[in-house]
Amino acid sequence: METLMKADGVELCAETFGDPADPPLLLIGNTMLTWPGGLCARLSALRRFVVRYDLRGTGRSTGAGEGAPRHTLRDLVADAAALLDALGLPRAHVAGFGVGGWIAQLLALDHPGRVTTLTLVAARPTAPGPADPDLPEHAPEVMAHFMAPPPVDWSDRASVVAFMVENARHLAGPAFDEAEARERAERIAGRTVLPDPASPDGDPGAAHRADQMAAGFAELDSGDRWRERLGGITAPTLVVHGEDDPFFPLGNGRALAAEIPGARLVTVPGMGHGLPRAAWDVIVPAILQHTSGAAAAG
């Protein structure tokens, strides 16, 4: 069940799975639907109290309000800590996917007492924008697509879904499952009211904000670099990366695993920049093992 919670001056929409008495696992992505419900259900069935949520200004979470300063990456980190407070959780296992991996890294660095273990999926150690010279950049075909995306009518649900499916196609790598991508896009579109086409200034809607969050991060104030601080992460860390990720190619995951003390790298053949069902049989056991008592103790 989805719940709106006051956290860090905004309302964050969160959903929980499982028994609150089990070890908590906070999942961070663009929106809660970055982490598929079926994946969350599998983790909760194996004794994890799973929490997923919409970042501020995406999905059903609110922004800071009209006239407020544009939020920063550090604001999103503070939101994650505040959400744990709202849930009454002093600390949690934390997993971040993609851009959520930036939030998870900074949460582990700036709020180390809140992070029991850290899992980084399809992430990189540098902020939005050009990567460091030693890191592989986005695949050229992915950048070409996102720099000149196909037209979309944000007032038409079918057009929105088709647009998101095409984005997913470019991120998925060689093992693209169109039916799965369409199901996810339908779920995202179904969680928001699309704008009134008669309104010239209508909000393009949470489906638009959710799907464009990765692009929006390119303009986000990320503050100081943190790659040079990765050696200070004390939480036991698991890095999971698709071998065919065209958005953050595998060298980014290898760099994270090399620079975070004691980190373990798990690569997933055929996985691009996503969490497809075909990869759950690798991802779920890896997270469960990592968040078990012995592993979490380092």
Side-chain angles (χ1 to χ4, degrees), residues 1-265:
M1 180 177 179
E2 295 181 14
T3 305
L4 287 173
M5 297 186 168
K6 289 284 188 182
D8 197 30
V10 297
E11 278 193 328
L12 299 179
C13 184
E15 183 177 22
T16 62
F17 298 75
D19 186 343
D22 288 335
L25 172 60
L26 178 67
L27 304 178
I28 309 175
N30 295 353
T31 76
M32 66 171 62
L33 294 183
T34 297
W35 293 88
L39 177 59
C40 296
R42 283 181 62 170
L43 289 165
S44 67
L46 295 167
R47 306 295 303 273
R48 297 294 181 272
F49 177 56
V50 177
V51 181
R52 64 178 185 173
Y53 72 103
D54 296 323
L55 297 185
R56 71 161 71 189
T58 70
R60 291 178 177 163
S61 292
T62 65
E66 186 175 352
R70 181 180 174 87
H71 64 260
T72 69
L73 182 58
R74 265 58 177 193
D75 289 329
L76 299 179
V77 176
D79 288 351
L83 179 61
L84 292 178
D85 290 337
L87 290 163
L89 298 174
R91 57 195 285 121
H93 301 286
V94 175
F97 176 89
V99 296
W102 293 327
I103 299 169
Q105 289 171 61
L106 286 167
L107 188 65
L109 285 167
D110 297 342
H111 304 270
R114 311 304 300 268
V115 180
T116 307
T117 67
L118 177 65
T119 299
L120 302 172
V121 185
R124 79 176 188 184
T126 56
D132 289 347
D134 65 313
L135 298 175
E137 264 291 7
H138 310 305
E141 57 272 21
V142 169
M143 289 307 297
H145 170 74
F146 284 105
M147 293 301 292
V152 57
D153 178 359
W154 291 106
S155 67
D156 179 71
R157 192 172 302 279
S159 179
V160 171
V161 169
F163 177 80
M164 288 191 285
V165 169
E166 194 58 26
N167 283 353
R169 186 188 310 277
H170 282 79
L171 292 172
F176 176 63
D177 185 325
E178 182 165 350
E180 186 176 353
R182 186 168 298 279
E183 178 188 15
R184 175 182 177 272
E186 293 279 6
R187 288 182 181 275
I188 292 174
R191 294 181 69 242
T192 184
V193 177
L194 297 179
D196 180 354
S199 173
D201 58 350
D203 183 350
H208 166 72
R209 295 194 301 272
D211 204 54
Q212 295 302 293
M213 181 53 118
F217 262 89
E219 301 175 359
L220 193 67
D221 177 3
S222 302
D224 296 334
R225 285 174 56 91
W226 67 85
R227 184 179 183 185
E228 291 75 15
R229 298 173 56 205
L230 290 177
I233 290 180
T234 56
T237 301
L238 169 69
V239 178
V240 179
H241 217 99
E243 292 183 1
D244 296 293
D245 189 333
F247 192 70
F248 290 155
L250 178 56
N252 291 281
R254 287 182 174 140
L256 283 168
E259 295 172 31
I260 297 174
R264 183 168 71 99
L265 174 65

Side-chain angles (χ1 to χ4, degrees), residues 265-293:
L265 174 65
V266 172
T267 62
V268 187
M271 189 173 92
H273 196 75
L275 291 166
R277 288 186 185 91
W280 295 358
D281 286 344
V282 176
I283 295 170
V284 170
I287 292 177
L288 289 173
Q289 179 186 12
H290 182 61
T291 57
S292 67

